[in-house]
Amino acid sequence: MTSPASSSGIVRADGRAPDELRPVTITRGWLDAAEGSVLVEFGGTRVLCAASFTEGVPRWKKGSGEGWVTAEYAMLPRATSTRSDRESVKGRVGGRTHEISRLVGRSLRAVVDVAALGENTIVLDCDVLQADGGTRTAAITGAYVALADAVAWGQRHGHVKGGRPVLTDSVSAVSVGIIDGVPMLDLPYVEDVRADTDMNVVVTGSGTFVEVQGTAEHAPFDRAELDVLLDLAVAGNARLAEIQRAALAQELGR
Amino acid sequence: MTSPASSSGIVRADGRAPDELRPVTITRGWLDAAEGSVLVEFGGTRVLCAASFTEGVPRWKKGSGEGWVTAEYAMLPRATSTRSDRESVKGRVGGRTHEISRLVGRSLRAVVDVAALGENTIVLDCDVLQADGGTRTAAITGAYVALADAVAWGQRHGHVKGGRPVLTDSVSAVSVGIIDGVPMLDLPYVEDVRADTDMNVVVTGSGTFVEVQGTAEHAPFDRAELDVLLDLAVAGNARLAEIQRAALAQELGR
Amino acid sequence: MTSPASSSGIVRADGRAPDELRPVTITRGWLDAAEGSVLVEFGGTRVLCAASFTEGVPRWKKGSGEGWVTAEYAMLPRATSTRSDRESVKGRVGGRTHEISRLVGRSLRAVVDVAALGENTIVLDCDVLQADGGTRTAAITGAYVALADAVAWGQRHGHVKGGRPVLTDSVSAVSVGIIDGVPMLDLPYVEDVRADTDMNVVVTGSGTFVEVQGTAEHAPFDRAELDVLLDLAVAGNARLAEIQRAALAQELGR
Amino acid sequence: MTSPASSSGIVRADGRAPDELRPVTITRGWLDAAEGSVLVEFGGTRVLCAASFTEGVPRWKKGSGEGWVTAEYAMLPRATSTRSDRESVKGRVGGRTHEISRLVGRSLRAVVDVAALGENTIVLDCDVLQADGGTRTAAITGAYVALADAVAWGQRHGHVKGGRPVLTDSVSAVSVGIIDGVPMLDLPYVEDVRADTDMNVVVTGSGTFVEVQGTAEHAPFDRAELDVLLDLAVAGNARLAEIQRAALAQELGR
Amino acid sequence: MTSPASSSGIVRADGRAPDELRPVTITRGWLDAAEGSVLVEFGGTRVLCAASFTEGVPRWKKGSGEGWVTAEYAMLPRATSTRSDRESVKGRVGGRTHEISRLVGRSLRAVVDVAALGENTIVLDCDVLQADGGTRTAAITGAYVALADAVAWGQRHGHVKGGRPVLTDSVSAVSVGIIDGVPMLDLPYVEDVRADTDMNVVVTGSGTFVEVQGTAEHAPFDRAELDVLLDLAVAGNARLAEIQRAALAQELGR
Amino acid sequence: MTSPASSSGIVRADGRAPDELRPVTITRGWLDAAEGSVLVEFGGTRVLCAASFTEGVPRWKKGSGEGWVTAEYAMLPRATSTRSDRESVKGRVGGRTHEISRLVGRSLRAVVDVAALGENTIVLDCDVLQADGGTRTAAITGAYVALADAVAWGQRHGHVKGGRPVLTDSVSAVSVGIIDGVPMLDLPYVEDVRADTDMNVVVTGSGTFVEVQGTAEHAPFDRAELDVLLDLAVAGNARLAEIQRAALAQELGR
């Protein structure tokens, strides 16, 4: 295993150092009607995140005084290099889709104070328009910003009452992996398929872990590899948190 | 019924004359991997049209020497002003979705010479990212351009052989309707819901009809109304054909 | 294009003149239990139309004071020349079925005063027992008569109150098409598959349009062709309206 | 328990003696295209039975030299006194439908020599147009006649080769039940719902049993009751076999 | 047909006499949480029966003062000698599963006094862990014992009020069949596939019939065969009723 | 956070030390027909793991020379303290089920040399009979043993050729979590619902990681907590690997 330090002189196919993120863009207000919406790009990966704010909660939460935040992830048929069949046409949502939807929802709920939200529901729709690796991490990173806008909308329109902050922290995610012995940050598709180990790490703005999902794709990994991947991911998420903050600092002109 | 002539002085909520299209934008090459792709905008309506070219045809066309062109239309959950449930989650494709998918496919096939295409398949995915009326007409108009790019791709890569043109004409579509007695072109959502009669008209570049679908939403319509709506639609489609031609004339820089 | 006038001397495979309907039979009261029921035949096409009257409306219409009329169209597996799989067994309703169900529902609602109906629901089930072209137009024509009987049942049993008429007009439908350059009325299956252009036209008893659905099956059509098809359809529907009136004038012996 | 002998003087609501069938009508050739088709009526119960003959067998029977006979039973939504939802719309076939489809298929296969049929498939579609009790027994009784016509069609057209008879016997079915202590034959709906015990008995033309399905609806039954019900059913089926023979003896005029 | 008397000297593959049951084991309290649970074994057939007691009834029974008992039968994918696909993955419950679930439910309801149960629901889940013939009869026999435990639980916890017995009798089931002319009791898989006639008979503890389901698998059967099979089944069920009584007489140690 | 050392004197509700597994039992050969089968128990959690060996591979692996191993996880309706609806009846497999099925499959494939397996498929069915926390970790641990038996079966019967070992290592899994600040191993349901952080760790017999899935249920966790949980999990899996080895060392008496 080689050190990920940029000083190693290793350069990736797209010209990045091993510990460097792809260009990340967060465009707020991409949809006219949604209470929060973001087009997030991690390099060629493009995800449209729409946050829908509605008063009221599902039946099983009624009367609890608490709100509910959930997410649905999906991919357009031609987001990928070859076309996939639509899940609506197949009549069932696939396992991977389910799994990522659940991950996005859990990640966002980790930074939501549902009591402060009150009996309101926010649904995050994360639709991948173009996929080039890291779609779930881009979805979480973008969805947080859309969520923040939807919460602000709810406060502005008087649906969220009380001065308490609804969001207790920010949250972002990034992928890391070991390719030919080199730990690397934010894998595009060509790297992702070659990684021996692939890990998605969800981290709060204050640097604590929300989810750690590491998978040995080709060969089991040892503790030292795990440690260096976690270091890379924490550093990458710190950079994403800054980008989120910068995006939210801008005036949303509409 | 008032004459649709602009000289009538009638001005619509968005400032247009009754016989004026919304601003129409066609952005080619919006996706890196698709053989043809277009982001088409009719005002606030935004549809991503991806054309996937594959060699071979469905089993029932094998050995016919002919190709196949089909389309699938869908809407993102938050394309509309309030969120709709996903058809993949509901486990079934709704009637409206089916109906529009079939319309888009039929409209494109009307200008395809399937023998010239050879045993190749082109699937058009039209995903509505934002809906503000006229999503099916924008889908047809944009899908034609994506189809043209996919055909060119197939010719460039030697999958489509013989010098014969595959596309016998261009095709576009526009909605027309009568609102408070005034025939109007290209209805946004606010006008669409108020229209007494609503018609979608699919026309070739040479001005012949591919589909005429007129529906009395609130009150049956007479022959005179039908005639004036058809005139409006033919004129609007002529303008769309120009916009398609202009878009296809540009260099696709990738 | 040849003139459709019978004087042209053109005779169709079944001996009809181009502007002649097939023999149309409407048998009321075909079912013992349904509030209205009709077996309608357009030549070999045989559709059983059952109208079910129930008090109350779907949740989204509750408290509106208005009623609801809807329709479901389906085909028995061996209605056609070769057997089709059942949609119940396939687990999903096909696009064509959905599309026609929606068309039948819209056509009937165009002549219903939902306020006069009051908060009652009428469901029209149109099941094709034998298909020989024009199943959707036979369904609309027969369903109107079943609907009229169900409305009368609701009035007789005191569910529909107030003296106002519920039905503002009658409605019927017929297909027209151009075959080998000759415009023809009411196409059986053998003609339907050969038509260049195929149009279904839904017209009220007073002669106004409810739906115009024209499709270029093989070649786009021009305005002159459209005009002559509309003339044929209007005349055919006028004859169907007479047949409906005659059927409803008879005593329903049960 | 009272003796079912007509001499008991018991008269049923519809005027029949306890051991009397309802009027049974078998109309052959009801559909133009099906290789065999029958409209069968047991009183108010009306079932359309269509037999579809196709060359070839399902994959798991290929090369066996044997044919395959199967059946599908279904009910139109308004066959019953109140409307039921369509199974196609619900997206799943109900348990009762499945159960009866399987019963009809098994009953017919009991009289088919699949080797004599050769590698051909006959599908029986039994669609209940109007239900007034005994729909499954009418379906079996009518389907046998449609099957016989389809077999004859296969022989006439040279698909079924060899002189051996394909049908080894005829088969019919009837319901029996005990109502207020009186065993009765062929129950209409009003009797069916009141029966303590309900039995459907499928019998060949030569008087042997194919299926005996007895259910204690309200109270378990003893051996003596079982015996008298079986006697009634055997006698009723003997009468049905005669009616089937008479129907098949007529010239099928098409 | 040979007499089933053991004195005939016929010995089956597993060493049993024709009128002998396989070893039957009923293990109560197999699950910690279920209100009643039984692992029932008929030779190699192993079914886990879980009774779930809940207060309240389905909407259509609310206010009736009566309870509801229902059952669901299913088979694990590898219960059989070759693996079957899961019905959950296929997305639909098969006809055989539906049919058996309905049979189990009806059989149990035949011995339940729903008024004495009060507005409570008991669901019986019968999951076949290993299948070696007779899974439905083992399911009914085991489910009765689980039901008895769940009723007792409901009485102990005060949900079932009034001293009246809820269970009016016991109920069990066994299969019988004719193999090479010999009537046999309780068929394992190897015998079941060879049987000419196969019958499942559900009998109460007092010896009356709840269900008689006889099917001619290969050849129709006559009245004499039917009679001898019924005798065998009644005797076998009498033995099962004893085994059920003995199982319920034991202390349930938890 | 307290140290997990047993010397801390902390005793759990079931009497265990924080770093102690529940009693683990592995019963091989629980099913007669499956090529490998195990009933695995982690305390009250009971999972039946069946390995089905079939020659051949799915189409997309044909001709690759490689085998395929996959898994399906499911839960019986009354495995839990209150009954859940069946996924087969709901008509769709839930997200959690999908996610765990994929995890089990990936975990097993990490120790399979698919080239050594040759073009054979092994499906692992893991059905939870009783759930008391840690069902996915018990499933992986038991499935490995069933897989080993199925591989041995394939070798004994000549389907797996060549002397190379198919299994490159063993694999097991255990849950860990932090409850009231104390890191604990192998959580039963009562602990699982109270855990702030919950982690499932899949480890090979040689101590390397296959999957690390950590989730902040209530509060994000820091690196120190992550490290101590990983230590606990590695030690627990080492103990599970011994139990697997001991189980496989026994003679499988059939």
Side-chain angles (χ1 to χ4, degrees), chain B residues 84-144:
Chain B
S84 311
D85 288 339
R86 280 175 196 273
E87 296 189 327
S88 59
V89 170
K90 287 191 287 186
R92 51 179 73 190
V93 171
R96 182 183 172 279
T97 298
H98 255 139
E99 195 170 319
I100 300 179
S101 293
R102 288 157 54 90
L103 169 65
V104 177
R106 276 199 314 270
S107 297
L108 297 174
R109 283 193 295 275
V111 297
V112 171
D113 177 342
V114 287
L117 177 57
E119 291 204 8
N120 296 294
T121 296
I122 302 178
V123 179
L124 276 299
D125 284 292
C126 301
D127 285 272
V128 180
L129 306 185
Q130 185 162 280
D132 185 20
T135 61
R136 79 188 70 188
T137 56
I140 291 168
T141 304
Y144 168 73

Side-chain angles (χ1 to χ4, degrees), chain B residues 8-37:
Chain B
S8 70
I10 288 170
V11 177
R12 295 153 84 175
D14 54 10
R16 283 187 288 151
D19 61 352
E20 197 180 342
L21 291 174
R22 290 179 284 178
V24 173
T25 313
I26 292 178
T27 308
R28 285 163 68 210
W30 205 82
L31 295 173
D32 295 341
E35 288 73 30
S37 70

Side-chain angles (χ1 to χ4, degrees), chain D residues 2-253:
Chain D
T2 313
S3 149
S6 340
S7 61
S8 68
I10 288 171
V11 176
R12 296 154 83 174
D14 54 9
R16 283 185 289 150
D19 61 352
E20 199 179 340
L21 290 173
R22 289 179 284 177
V24 172
T25 312
I26 292 177
T27 308
R28 284 164 68 210
W30 206 82
L31 296 173
D32 295 340
E35 287 74 30
S37 72
V38 155
L39 182 71
V40 60
E41 294 167 88
F42 276 34
T45 288
R46 227 175 278 170
V47 184
L48 178 54
C49 304
S52 298
F53 186 108
T54 48
E55 291 184 272
V57 281
R59 202 166 23 172
W60 52 275
K61 292 227 88 178
K62 266 190 188 136
S64 68
E66 296 184 349
W68 181 239
V69 172
T70 187
E72 290 186 7
Y73 165 100
M75 210 180 258
L76 292 194
R78 195 55 202 275
T80 42
S81 60
T82 56
R83 186 178 185 272
S84 312
D85 288 338
R86 281 174 196 273
E87 296 189 326
S88 59
V89 171
K90 287 190 287 185
R92 50 179 74 190
V93 171
R96 181 183 174 279
T97 298
H98 254 138
E99 196 170 318
I100 299 179
S101 293
R102 287 157 55 89
L103 170 66
V104 177
R106 278 198 313 269
S107 297
L108 297 173
R109 283 192 296 273
V111 298
V112 171
D113 178 342
V114 285
L117 177 55
E119 291 203 8
N120 296 296
T121 296
I122 302 177
V123 179
L124 275 299
D125 285 293
C126 300
D127 285 272
V128 179
L129 306 186
Q130 185 162 279
D132 185 19
T135 61
R136 77 189 72 187
T137 56
I140 291 168
T141 304
Y144 168 74
V145 177
L147 173 64
D149 276 335
V151 166
W153 183 95
Q155 289 167 326
R156 258 196 335 271
H157 289 76
H159 302 305
V160 177
K161 295 175 177 82
R164 267 183 307 160
V166 170
L167 298 174
T168 58
D169 205 337
S170 70
V171 67
S172 66
V174 75
S175 70
V176 285
I178 299 177
I179 296 152
D180 299 337
V182 185
M184 291 185 175
L185 179 69
D186 188 19
L187 315 183
Y189 181 72
V190 289
E191 290 178 358
D192 191 39
V193 293
R194 288 183 49 223
D196 289 319
T197 296
D198 183 16
M199 191 172 294
N200 291 291
V201 186
V202 185
V203 171
T204 62
S206 53
T208 52
F209 296 100
V210 168
E211 289 265 345
V212 174
Q213 296 200 335
T215 299
E217 293 293 341
H218 298 123
F221 51 96
D222 64 23
R223 185 66 171 268
E225 289 170 319
L226 180 56
D227 285 340
V228 73
L229 287 175
L230 289 169
D231 290 340
L232 257 185
V234 167
N237 273 305
R239 177 77 193 108
L240 289 171
E242 280 170 36
I243 295 169
Q244 289 175 322
R245 253 190 310 274
L248 283 167
Q250 293 184 346
E251 193 69 37
L252 185 56

Side-chain angles (χ1 to χ4, degrees), chain E residues 16-39:
Chain E
R16 282 186 289 151
D19 63 350
E20 198 180 341
L21 291 174
R22 289 178 284 178
V24 173
T25 312
I26 292 177
T27 307
R28 286 164 67 209
W30 205 82
L31 296 172
D32 295 341
E35 288 73 32
S37 71
V38 155
L39 182 71

Side-chain angles (χ1 to χ4, degrees), chain F residues 119-194:
Chain F
E119 292 203 7
N120 296 295
T121 296
I122 302 178
V123 179
L124 275 299
D125 285 293
C126 300
D127 285 272
V128 179
L129 307 185
Q130 185 163 279
D132 186 19
T135 61
R136 78 188 73 186
T137 56
I140 291 168
T141 304
Y144 168 73
V145 177
L147 172 64
D149 276 336
V151 166
W153 182 94
Q155 289 167 326
R156 262 198 329 273
H157 289 76
H159 301 305
V160 178
K161 295 175 177 80
R164 267 185 308 160
V166 170
L167 298 174
T168 58
D169 205 336
S170 69
V171 66
S172 65
V174 76
S175 70
V176 286
I178 298 177
I179 295 152
D180 299 337
V182 185
M184 291 185 176
L185 179 69
D186 188 18
L187 316 184
Y189 182 72
V190 289
E191 290 178 358
D192 191 39
V193 292
R194 290 182 48 223

Side-chain angles (χ1 to χ4, degrees), chain B residues 39 46 94 110 191 237:
Chain B
L39 182 71
R46 226 176 280 169
E191 290 179 358
N237 274 303

